[in-house]
Amino acid sequence: MTERWKQNLNEVAREEKVSVLSSFFKTGKGEYGEGDIFIGVVVPDNRKIAKQYHDAPAGTIITMLHSPIHEYRLSALLALVEAFKKSKRNETRRREILELYLANLTYANNWDLVDLSAPYIIGEWLLTHPDDFNILTRLSDSKNLWEQRAAIVATLTLTRHGIYAPTFSLAEKNLTHPHQLIHKATGWLLREAGKQGCPDGLTAFLDRHATSMPRTMLRYAIERLSTEQRKHYMTLPR
């Protein structure tokens, strides 16, 4: 099954996309995606193929996740997302998928791999399992950048269901994070919290922290505010 899956992906790979994707996902020396290998499969094509493998055994998923090829790893993650969605009434199966995902999360080692999976596995699980919110704490405390990003990005699903506290809590924790990928993700999730129904929570957060937030995080967070509000927060003394 693994070889067939890879072949399916190879058949829709576009050579002209390789250099574009490699540059976009920062695979150069010293960049966050250093050494990642692309074969040129675009996400819509990958998603179609991944859905065909939603019932792949754990061993096959792990083999794909451990591949040096970016699109193979993404396909495995998209298959897990599809499997999780299809297992809505199977609690045992969902927990198995979650545990498999968490055990291999460090292989989701670029921002698209995290962003296309964490909200739809971790976030969806936490909607019905609030006692497991410690997952977010554990991931945010990790020394691995991608687990840290997964923690904040997973809260996207929660904000869409009116649960904002985890986003604000992790955002406060990320104020001193050194990496721009966390700044961008945190600003994005703050913006989403404001957009999804908690504008007062967003402005309260900004009133407390705008002067000390990384500029990238602040710019992302205020994107949907009024011109006057954006100007106010961007011109506060630092």
Side-chain angles (χ1 to χ4, degrees), residues 45-65:
D45 289 341
N46 201 330
R47 197 185 300 276
K48 289 177 186 175
I49 291 169
K51 286 182 177 181
Q52 300 172 27
Y53 293 92
H54 68 88
D55 57 352
T60 298
I61 294 290
I62 291 171
T63 298
M64 295 291 284
L65 277 173

Side-chain angles (χ1 to χ4, degrees), residues 6 78 114 127 130 138 140 148 151 160 169-170 234:
K6 291 178 180 179
L78 292 174
V114 172
L127 280 179
R138 178 168 62 80
S140 69
Q148 293 167 357
R160 289 174 173 171
S169 177
L170 290 177
M234 289 300 293

Side-chain angles (χ1 to χ4, degrees), residues 92-109:
T92 301
R93 176 62 178 144
R94 280 199 152 195
R95 184 174 287 278
E96 288 173 354
I97 294 167
L98 174 71
E99 291 176 354
L100 175 62
Y101 178 73
L102 292 173
N104 293 276
L105 186 50
T106 56
Y107 292 95
N109 54 351

Side-chain angles (χ1 to χ4, degrees), residues 199-213:
D200 292 342
L202 173 58
T203 54
F205 185 94
L206 294 171
D207 289 343
R208 291 195 305 274
H209 301 297
T211 58
S212 60
M213 291 170 69

